[in-house]
């Protein structure tokens, strides 16, 4: 009789362990699914942002190509060089140090 009771208890523990394992697996799967959905949403938003930046960069590149293929390219190059602080040979640069900012 004790043997049957022990077998029943052993079977009950095995069933309980299997149910607990299934529950843990379901909880883990749920958290993974939620985490992956959040990652996908974040990456889609990031993709839209990068697509906009890419389109803007292509537009800027097209404008610069148009300028460089035109007659005004020397003036454009000179303007960009001056913005970076370059001067022509023989020019004298004066800096206003009297102003306070």
């Amino acid at each position: 009789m004790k043997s049957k009771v022990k077998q029943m208890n052993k079977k009950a523990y095995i069933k309980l362990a299997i149910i607990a394992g299934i529950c843990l697996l379901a909880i883990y799967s749920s958290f993974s699914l939620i985490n992956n959905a959040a990652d996908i949403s974040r990456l889609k938003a990031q993709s839209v942002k990068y697509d906009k930046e890419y389109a803007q960069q292509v537009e800027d590149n097209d404008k610069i190509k148009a300028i460089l293929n035109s007659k005004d390219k020397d003036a454009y190059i000179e303007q960009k060089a001056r913005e970076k602080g370059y001067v022509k040979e023989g020019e004298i640069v004066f800096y206003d140090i009297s102003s306070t900012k």
Side-chain angles (χ1 to χ4, degrees):
M1 191 90 132
K2 273 188 171 182
S3 170
K4 285 185 180 182
V5 172
K6 283 185 180 181
Q7 280 184 338
M8 288 174 61
N9 282 341
K10 190 175 183 181
K11 286 181 182 179
Y13 285 128
I14 291 173
K15 285 181 183 180
L16 184 63
I18 290 173
I19 291 172
I22 291 171
C23 288
L24 289 175
L25 182 62
I27 291 170
Y28 174 77
S29 297
S30 297
F31 281 120
S32 294
L33 182 65
I34 291 169
N35 191 28
N36 287 341
D39 285 344
I40 288 170
S41 176
R42 179 182 53 81
L43 291 172
K44 281 183 180 179
Q46 193 176 30
S47 174
V48 168
K49 175 188 164 201
Y50 289 147
D51 287 342
K52 287 179 183 177
E53 287 178 11
Y54 175 76
Q56 181 63 44
Q57 188 63 52
V58 168
E59 185 179 319
D60 292 346
N61 289 350
D62 290 341
K63 287 178 184 177
I64 292 172
K65 284 179 187 177
I67 291 170
L68 292 176
N69 291 331
S70 72
K71 295 178 183 179
D72 297 332
K73 73 177 179 182
D74 292 333
Y76 175 78
I77 292 170
E78 182 178 343
Q79 175 195 359
K80 290 300 177 184
R82 289 189 182 277
E83 288 173 5
K84 293 187 181 276
Y86 292 101
V87 295
K88 288 184 178 180
E89 189 175 326
E91 285 185 333
I92 298 173
V93 179
F94 295 95
Y95 294 101
D96 182 15
I97 60 170
S98 65
S99 67
T100 57
K101 292 184 181 182

